[in-house]
Amino acid sequence: MRSNIVSEAGLPTRLSQWWVGIPFITSGVVIVCGLIYLVCLFVGYDSFAEICFLPSEIVSRFQVYRIFTAVIFHGSMLHVLFNMMALVPLGSELERIMGSIRLLYLMFLLALSNAIFHLTIALLAAYNPLRHFPFFMEECAIGFSGIIFSMIVIETSLSGAQSRSVFGLFNIPSKWYPWILLLLFQLLATNVSLLGHLCGILSGFAYTYGFFNHLLPGPMFYSAIENSSMLASCVRRPKFILCSGGASHVSLPTHITNTPSSGLVSGNMWRNLSSWMPQREVTAEQPTQDRRFPGRGRTLGSIRNHAASQNDADSDLQARLLDDSTFPPGAAPVTSGQRNSDAREVAVEARGVSAVPTIDQGPDSFEEDMRKLVAMGFEKTQVEVALTAADGDPNVAVEILMSQQT
Protein backbone atom coordinates (compact mmCIF):
# COMPACT_ATOMS: atom_id res chain seq x y z
CA MET A 1 0.00 0.00 0.00
CA ARG A 2 1.22 3.46 -0.81
CA SER A 3 2.30 5.46 2.24
CA ASN A 4 0.87 8.83 3.18
CA ILE A 5 1.59 11.53 0.60
CA VAL A 6 2.55 13.97 3.35
CA SER A 7 5.27 11.64 4.60
CA GLU A 8 6.62 11.34 1.05
CA ALA A 9 7.04 15.11 0.65
CA GLY A 10 10.60 16.30 0.57
CA LEU A 11 12.17 18.83 2.89
CA PRO A 12 11.69 21.80 0.49
CA THR A 13 7.98 21.00 0.19
CA ARG A 14 7.54 20.73 3.93
CA LEU A 15 9.40 24.00 4.50
CA SER A 16 7.25 25.68 1.87
CA GLN A 17 4.05 24.46 3.51
CA TRP A 18 5.34 25.55 6.92
CA TRP A 19 6.21 29.02 5.62
CA VAL A 20 2.84 29.48 3.89
CA GLY A 21 1.09 28.87 7.21
CA ILE A 22 2.88 31.75 8.94
CA PRO A 23 0.77 34.97 8.89
CA PHE A 24 1.85 38.23 7.28
CA ILE A 25 3.36 40.26 10.15
CA THR A 26 5.02 37.29 11.86
CA SER A 27 6.72 36.20 8.65
CA GLY A 28 7.66 39.82 7.94
CA VAL A 29 9.45 40.14 11.30
CA VAL A 30 11.32 36.90 10.62
CA ILE A 31 12.44 38.20 7.21
CA VAL A 32 13.51 41.61 8.54
CA CYS A 33 15.51 40.24 11.47
CA GLY A 34 17.09 37.54 9.30
CA LEU A 35 18.09 39.95 6.53
CA ILE A 36 19.53 42.48 8.99
CA TYR A 37 21.71 39.81 10.57
CA LEU A 38 22.91 38.54 7.18
CA VAL A 39 23.79 42.06 6.02
CA CYS A 40 25.75 42.68 9.22
CA LEU A 41 27.50 39.34 8.76
CA PHE A 42 28.50 40.02 5.15
CA VAL A 43 29.72 43.59 5.72
CA GLY A 44 31.45 42.66 8.97
CA TYR A 45 29.46 45.00 11.18
CA ASP A 46 29.78 44.06 14.86
CA SER A 47 29.57 47.43 16.65
CA PHE A 48 26.47 46.41 18.59
CA ALA A 49 27.28 48.90 21.33
CA GLU A 50 26.09 51.61 18.92
CA ILE A 51 22.61 50.16 18.40
CA CYS A 52 21.84 48.07 21.52
CA PHE A 53 19.61 49.25 24.37
CA LEU A 54 22.11 50.99 26.65
CA PRO A 55 20.45 52.95 29.48
CA SER A 56 23.44 55.21 30.09
CA GLU A 57 23.52 56.40 26.47
CA ILE A 58 19.76 56.92 26.36
CA VAL A 59 19.86 59.07 29.49
CA SER A 60 23.00 61.05 28.70
CA ARG A 61 22.64 61.46 24.91
CA PHE A 62 18.90 60.83 24.48
CA GLN A 63 19.48 58.16 21.82
CA VAL A 64 15.86 57.03 21.62
CA TYR A 65 16.45 55.13 18.38
CA ARG A 66 18.07 52.38 20.46
CA ILE A 67 14.57 51.32 21.62
CA PHE A 68 13.82 49.89 18.15
CA THR A 69 17.28 49.09 16.77
CA ALA A 70 17.94 46.88 19.79
CA VAL A 71 14.86 44.82 18.90
CA ILE A 72 15.66 43.97 15.26
CA PHE A 73 19.43 43.38 15.61
CA HIS A 74 20.92 40.14 16.96
CA GLY A 75 24.38 39.23 18.12
CA SER A 76 24.90 35.75 16.66
CA MET A 77 23.43 33.14 14.33
CA LEU A 78 22.11 31.06 17.22
CA HIS A 79 20.62 34.18 18.76
CA VAL A 80 18.56 35.13 15.72
CA LEU A 81 17.59 31.51 14.92
CA PHE A 82 16.39 30.79 18.45
CA ASN A 83 14.42 34.02 18.70
CA MET A 84 12.74 33.58 15.32
CA MET A 85 11.85 29.94 15.97
CA ALA A 86 10.26 31.02 19.25
CA LEU A 87 8.46 33.91 17.53
CA VAL A 88 6.82 31.84 14.77
CA PRO A 89 4.33 29.84 16.93
CA LEU A 90 3.66 32.71 19.33
CA GLY A 91 3.28 35.39 16.67
CA SER A 92 1.17 33.15 14.43
CA GLU A 93 -1.26 32.36 17.25
CA LEU A 94 -1.63 35.97 18.38
CA GLU A 95 -1.89 37.29 14.81
CA ARG A 96 -4.77 34.90 14.05
CA ILE A 97 -6.55 36.14 17.17
CA MET A 98 -5.86 39.87 16.89
CA GLY A 99 -5.27 40.50 13.20
CA SER A 100 -2.12 41.64 11.43
CA ILE A 101 -2.34 45.40 12.03
CA ARG A 102 -3.27 44.98 15.69
CA LEU A 103 -0.32 42.64 16.28
CA LEU A 104 2.06 45.10 14.61
CA TYR A 105 0.77 47.89 16.85
CA LEU A 106 1.12 45.59 19.86
CA MET A 107 4.77 44.91 19.00
CA PHE A 108 5.52 48.65 18.89
CA LEU A 109 3.69 49.13 22.19
CA LEU A 110 5.58 46.27 23.85
CA ALA A 111 8.92 47.60 22.55
CA LEU A 112 8.17 51.00 24.12
CA SER A 113 6.91 49.58 27.41
CA ASN A 114 9.88 47.20 27.69
CA ALA A 115 12.23 50.16 27.21
CA ILE A 116 10.42 52.23 29.84
CA PHE A 117 10.49 49.39 32.37
CA HIS A 118 14.14 48.67 31.58
CA LEU A 119 15.21 52.28 31.95
CA THR A 120 13.20 52.80 35.15
CA ILE A 121 14.58 49.70 36.88
CA ALA A 122 18.14 50.50 35.77
CA LEU A 123 17.89 54.04 37.17
CA LEU A 124 16.41 52.83 40.46
CA ALA A 125 19.08 50.16 40.82
CA ALA A 126 21.94 52.53 40.02
CA TYR A 127 20.87 55.59 42.00
CA ASN A 128 18.81 54.32 44.92
CA PRO A 129 19.99 55.60 48.33
CA LEU A 130 20.37 52.14 49.88
CA ARG A 131 22.79 50.35 47.57
CA HIS A 132 24.07 51.23 44.12
CA PHE A 133 24.14 48.79 41.18
CA PRO A 134 25.69 50.90 38.40
CA PHE A 135 26.30 47.94 36.08
CA PHE A 136 22.59 47.93 35.14
CA MET A 137 23.11 51.29 33.42
CA GLU A 138 25.90 49.77 31.30
CA GLU A 139 24.09 46.56 30.33
CA CYS A 140 23.83 46.35 26.53
CA ALA A 141 20.60 44.50 25.64
CA ILE A 142 19.91 43.39 22.07
CA GLY A 143 17.49 41.04 20.33
CA PHE A 144 13.76 40.31 19.95
CA SER A 145 13.58 38.14 23.07
CA GLY A 146 12.11 40.89 25.28
CA ILE A 147 9.01 41.12 23.07
CA ILE A 148 8.90 37.31 22.86
CA PHE A 149 8.67 37.07 26.66
CA SER A 150 5.80 39.58 26.58
CA MET A 151 4.03 37.50 23.94
CA ILE A 152 4.52 34.36 26.04
CA VAL A 153 2.63 36.00 28.90
CA ILE A 154 -0.16 37.25 26.62
CA GLU A 155 -0.60 33.95 24.74
CA THR A 156 -0.60 31.95 27.98
CA SER A 157 -3.32 34.23 29.36
CA LEU A 158 -5.47 33.94 26.23
CA SER A 159 -5.11 30.17 25.93
CA GLY A 160 -6.74 29.53 29.31
CA ALA A 161 -4.51 26.49 29.86
CA GLN A 162 -3.99 25.44 33.46
CA SER A 163 -0.49 24.02 32.90
CA ARG A 164 2.33 24.35 30.41
CA SER A 165 5.11 21.99 29.38
CA VAL A 166 8.69 23.22 29.74
CA PHE A 167 10.57 21.88 26.71
CA GLY A 168 8.51 18.68 26.94
CA LEU A 169 10.28 17.66 30.17
CA PHE A 170 7.79 18.56 32.89
CA ASN A 171 4.56 20.50 33.39
CA ILE A 172 4.15 23.56 35.56
CA PRO A 173 1.20 25.86 36.36
CA SER A 174 0.64 28.42 33.63
CA LYS A 175 1.08 31.38 35.96
CA TRP A 176 4.69 30.28 36.65
CA TYR A 177 5.55 29.46 33.04
CA PRO A 178 7.26 32.76 32.02
CA TRP A 179 9.14 32.96 35.32
CA ILE A 180 10.49 29.42 34.99
CA LEU A 181 11.63 30.21 31.44
CA LEU A 182 13.36 33.36 32.70
CA LEU A 183 15.20 31.35 35.35
CA LEU A 184 16.21 28.58 32.95
CA PHE A 185 17.58 30.98 30.36
CA GLN A 186 19.64 32.77 32.99
CA LEU A 187 21.08 29.49 34.23
CA LEU A 188 21.64 27.70 30.91
CA ALA A 189 22.61 30.52 28.52
CA THR A 190 25.46 33.01 28.61
CA ASN A 191 25.35 36.75 27.92
CA VAL A 192 21.60 36.85 28.52
CA SER A 193 20.01 40.13 29.57
CA LEU A 194 18.16 39.45 32.80
CA LEU A 195 16.65 42.92 32.86
CA GLY A 196 15.56 42.74 29.20
CA HIS A 197 13.66 39.47 29.70
CA LEU A 198 12.25 40.57 33.05
CA CYS A 199 10.88 43.78 31.55
CA GLY A 200 9.30 41.73 28.76
CA ILE A 201 7.40 39.68 31.35
CA LEU A 202 6.32 42.83 33.19
CA SER A 203 5.02 44.38 29.95
CA GLY A 204 3.09 41.22 29.14
CA PHE A 205 1.36 41.21 32.51
CA ALA A 206 0.70 44.96 32.27
CA TYR A 207 -1.07 44.38 28.94
CA THR A 208 -3.12 41.37 30.05
CA TYR A 209 -4.31 43.13 33.20
CA GLY A 210 -5.49 46.17 31.25
CA PHE A 211 -2.93 48.79 32.25
CA PHE A 212 -2.42 49.71 28.58
CA ASN A 213 -6.10 49.97 27.72
CA HIS A 214 -6.00 53.74 27.28
CA LEU A 215 -3.24 53.26 24.68
CA LEU A 216 -5.19 50.74 22.59
CA PRO A 217 -7.33 52.23 19.80
CA GLY A 218 -10.72 50.84 18.85
CA PRO A 219 -11.71 48.74 15.82
CA MET A 220 -12.35 51.79 13.63
CA PHE A 221 -8.67 52.72 13.84
CA TYR A 222 -7.58 49.36 12.46
CA SER A 223 -10.34 49.33 9.84
CA ALA A 224 -9.24 52.74 8.55
CA ILE A 225 -5.68 51.49 8.15
CA GLU A 226 -6.79 48.29 6.41
CA ASN A 227 -8.99 50.26 4.00
CA SER A 228 -6.26 52.72 3.06
CA SER A 229 -5.00 52.59 -0.51
CA MET A 230 -1.37 52.47 0.63
CA LEU A 231 -1.85 49.02 2.18
CA ALA A 232 -4.15 47.62 -0.50
CA SER A 233 -1.47 45.31 -1.89
CA CYS A 234 -0.68 43.97 1.59
CA VAL A 235 -4.30 43.43 2.57
CA ARG A 236 -4.94 41.39 -0.57
CA ARG A 237 -2.24 38.88 0.33
CA PRO A 238 -3.55 35.50 1.56
CA LYS A 239 -1.38 35.61 4.69
CA PHE A 240 -2.75 38.98 5.80
CA ILE A 241 -5.34 38.65 8.60
CA LEU A 242 -7.92 41.40 9.01
CA CYS A 243 -8.70 42.73 12.45
CA SER A 244 -12.43 42.18 11.84
CA GLY A 245 -14.02 38.96 13.03
CA GLY A 246 -14.62 37.39 16.42
CA ALA A 247 -17.20 38.49 18.95
CA SER A 248 -17.86 42.15 19.59
CA HIS A 249 -18.34 41.58 23.31
CA VAL A 250 -14.94 39.92 23.74
CA SER A 251 -11.96 42.21 24.14
CA LEU A 252 -8.27 41.82 24.70
CA PRO A 253 -6.89 41.71 27.33
CA THR A 254 -9.06 39.07 29.03
CA HIS A 255 -8.46 39.67 32.74
CA ILE A 256 -11.86 41.12 33.75
CA THR A 257 -13.30 41.08 37.25
CA ASN A 258 -16.98 40.62 38.08
CA THR A 259 -16.84 42.65 41.29
CA PRO A 260 -19.18 45.65 41.44
CA SER A 261 -17.42 48.81 40.32
CA SER A 262 -17.26 51.84 42.54
CA GLY A 263 -15.83 55.29 42.02
CA LEU A 264 -15.22 57.37 38.93
CA VAL A 265 -12.37 55.35 37.46
CA SER A 266 -14.03 51.92 37.74
CA GLY A 267 -17.51 53.16 36.86
CA ASN A 268 -18.63 55.30 33.94
CA MET A 269 -15.09 56.28 32.95
CA TRP A 270 -14.18 52.59 32.61
CA ARG A 271 -17.15 52.01 30.33
CA ASN A 272 -16.15 55.00 28.21
CA LEU A 273 -12.58 53.73 27.89
CA SER A 274 -13.84 50.28 26.93
CA SER A 275 -14.69 51.57 23.47
CA TRP A 276 -10.95 52.00 22.85
CA MET A 277 -10.12 48.43 23.79
CA PRO A 278 -9.09 46.13 20.91
CA GLN A 279 -12.25 44.28 19.90
CA ARG A 280 -13.00 41.93 17.09
CA GLU A 281 -15.86 43.20 14.98
CA VAL A 282 -18.91 41.20 13.93
CA THR A 283 -19.91 41.44 10.31
CA ALA A 284 -23.55 41.10 9.31
CA GLU A 285 -22.82 38.95 6.27
CA GLN A 286 -20.75 36.21 7.86
CA PRO A 287 -21.20 34.29 11.12
CA THR A 288 -18.89 34.89 14.07
CA GLN A 289 -15.83 32.69 14.07
CA ASP A 290 -12.67 32.54 16.16
CA ARG A 291 -9.60 32.10 13.97
CA ARG A 292 -8.04 29.76 16.52
CA PHE A 293 -10.82 27.25 15.82
CA PRO A 294 -11.13 26.82 12.04
CA GLY A 295 -14.42 25.80 10.48
CA ARG A 296 -17.87 26.29 11.86
CA GLY A 297 -16.99 25.15 15.37
CA ARG A 298 -19.81 22.58 15.42
CA THR A 299 -19.75 18.88 16.26
CA LEU A 300 -22.26 16.24 15.28
CA GLY A 301 -23.94 16.38 18.67
CA SER A 302 -24.17 20.15 18.64
CA ILE A 303 -25.68 20.10 15.14
CA ARG A 304 -28.41 17.78 16.34
CA ASN A 305 -29.03 19.97 19.38
CA HIS A 306 -29.12 23.07 17.18
CA ALA A 307 -31.60 21.42 14.81
CA ALA A 308 -33.77 20.36 17.74
CA SER A 309 -33.77 23.89 19.13
CA GLN A 310 -34.83 25.21 15.73
CA ASN A 311 -37.71 22.69 15.60
CA ASP A 312 -38.79 23.76 19.09
CA ALA A 313 -38.73 27.39 17.98
CA ASP A 314 -40.87 26.47 14.93
CA SER A 315 -43.43 24.68 17.09
CA ASP A 316 -43.57 27.53 19.60
CA LEU A 317 -44.03 30.12 16.86
CA GLN A 318 -46.81 28.11 15.19
CA ALA A 319 -48.58 27.62 18.52
CA ARG A 320 -48.48 31.34 19.27
CA LEU A 321 -49.77 32.21 15.80
CA LEU A 322 -52.66 29.74 16.13
CA ASP A 323 -53.54 30.97 19.61
CA ASP A 324 -53.74 34.63 18.48
CA SER A 325 -57.29 34.29 17.15
CA THR A 326 -58.27 37.72 18.46
CA PHE A 327 -56.38 40.97 18.14
CA PRO A 328 -56.78 44.40 19.70
CA PRO A 329 -58.92 46.88 17.79
CA GLY A 330 -57.02 48.39 14.89
CA ALA A 331 -54.17 45.88 15.19
CA ALA A 332 -53.29 43.57 12.37
CA PRO A 333 -52.11 40.01 12.94
CA VAL A 334 -48.37 39.57 12.90
CA THR A 335 -47.33 37.51 9.91
CA SER A 336 -44.15 35.52 9.48
CA GLY A 337 -42.74 38.11 7.08
CA GLN A 338 -42.91 41.03 9.53
CA ARG A 339 -40.40 42.13 12.20
CA ASN A 340 -41.06 41.90 15.91
CA SER A 341 -40.73 44.96 18.10
CA ASP A 342 -37.35 43.77 19.40
CA ALA A 343 -35.87 43.99 15.86
CA ARG A 344 -35.54 40.21 15.50
CA GLU A 345 -36.09 39.27 11.90
CA VAL A 346 -38.27 36.29 10.93
CA ALA A 347 -37.10 34.76 7.65
CA VAL A 348 -39.68 33.04 5.42
CA GLU A 349 -38.46 30.41 2.98
CA ALA A 350 -39.96 30.33 -0.52
CA ARG A 351 -41.13 26.75 -0.04
CA GLY A 352 -43.34 27.65 2.91
CA VAL A 353 -41.04 26.44 5.67
CA SER A 354 -41.90 27.82 9.09
CA ALA A 355 -39.99 30.94 10.07
CA VAL A 356 -37.29 30.83 12.75
CA PRO A 357 -36.37 34.05 14.59
CA THR A 358 -32.73 34.94 14.71
CA ILE A 359 -31.40 34.81 18.23
CA ASP A 360 -29.72 38.02 19.34
CA GLN A 361 -26.73 36.86 21.34
CA GLY A 362 -25.85 40.17 22.97
CA PRO A 363 -23.44 40.95 25.74
CA ASP A 364 -26.05 40.30 28.47
CA SER A 365 -26.76 36.80 27.19
CA PHE A 366 -23.05 36.13 26.80
CA GLU A 367 -22.35 37.18 30.39
CA GLU A 368 -25.26 35.04 31.63
CA ASP A 369 -23.96 31.96 29.80
CA MET A 370 -20.47 32.65 31.08
CA ARG A 371 -21.69 32.84 34.69
CA LYS A 372 -23.53 29.55 34.30
CA LEU A 373 -20.47 27.78 32.94
CA VAL A 374 -18.24 29.22 35.65
CA ALA A 375 -20.75 27.96 38.22
CA MET A 376 -20.31 24.49 36.70
CA GLY A 377 -16.67 24.54 37.77
CA PHE A 378 -14.86 25.76 34.64
CA GLU A 379 -12.23 28.51 34.71
CA LYS A 380 -13.49 31.93 33.68
CA THR A 381 -10.81 32.55 31.04
CA GLN A 382 -11.41 29.13 29.47
CA VAL A 383 -15.15 29.76 29.49
CA GLU A 384 -14.76 33.11 27.70
CA VAL A 385 -12.49 31.64 25.01
CA ALA A 386 -14.75 28.61 24.55
CA LEU A 387 -17.92 30.74 24.22
CA THR A 388 -16.18 32.92 21.65
CA ALA A 389 -15.12 29.88 19.63
CA ALA A 390 -18.65 28.43 19.90
CA ASP A 391 -20.36 31.58 18.55
CA GLY A 392 -22.03 32.10 21.93
CA ASP A 393 -23.61 28.60 21.97
CA PRO A 394 -23.24 27.25 25.56
CA ASN A 395 -23.71 23.63 24.42
CA VAL A 396 -20.79 23.84 22.03
CA ALA A 397 -18.77 25.72 24.65
CA VAL A 398 -19.29 22.88 27.14
CA GLU A 399 -18.04 20.39 24.54
CA ILE A 400 -14.94 22.50 23.93
CA LEU A 401 -14.27 22.82 27.67
CA MET A 402 -14.75 19.10 28.23
CA SER A 403 -12.40 18.28 25.37
CA GLN A 404 -9.71 20.54 26.89
CA GLN A 405 -9.91 18.68 30.18
CA THR A 406 -9.61 15.21 28.66
Side-chain angles (χ1 to χ4, degrees), residues 9 55 60 78 98-99 105 108 120 130 143 157 169 172 177 200-201 259 292 325-326 336 360 370 372 386-387 395:
S60 61
L78 288 179
M98 301 179 178
Y105 179 83
F108 278 102
T120 302
L130 300 178
S157 174
L169 301 177
I172 58 174
Y177 182 64
I201 294 178
T259 56
R292 290 172 293 175
S325 57
T326 60
S336 60
D360 185 9
M370 189 168 64
K372 291 181 181 179
L387 280 174
N395 296 325

Side-chain angles (χ1 to χ4, degrees), residues 296-299 302-303 386 389-391 393-401:
R296 295 289 298 169
R298 304 288 187 181
T299 60
S302 64
I303 293 176
D391 299 340
D393 191 333
N395 296 325
V396 181
V398 170
E399 296 180 6
I400 295 175
L401 292 169

Side-chain angles (χ1 to χ4, degrees), residues 29-30 32-34 36-38 40-41 45-46 48 51 69-84 87 142-146 148:
V29 173
V30 173
V32 169
C33 293
I36 288 177
Y37 176 77
L38 291 178
C40 293
L41 184 65
Y45 180 82
D46 58 356
F48 298 115
I51 46 89
T69 56
V71 171
I72 58 178
F73 281 82
H74 292 80
S76 65
M77 178 66 74
L78 288 179
H79 190 198
V80 66
L81 283 178
F82 187 85
N83 279 351
M84 294 303 103
L87 171 66
I142 192 173
F144 206 83
S145 54
I148 291 177

Side-chain angles (χ1 to χ4, degrees), residues 22 26 39 42 74 115 126 134 161 196-197 211 213 255 294 324 379 404:
I22 303 176
T26 304
V39 170
F42 290 148
H74 292 80
H197 293 171
F211 292 105
N213 284 347
H255 284 278
D324 292 340
E379 293 292 333
Q404 290 179 352

Side-chain angles (χ1 to χ4, degrees), residues 292-313:
R292 290 172 293 175
F293 300 90
R296 295 289 298 169
R298 304 288 187 181
T299 60
L300 293 178
S302 64
I303 293 176
R304 289 194 295 268
N305 294 335
H306 185 65
S309 64
Q310 287 184 346
N311 292 334
D312 294 340

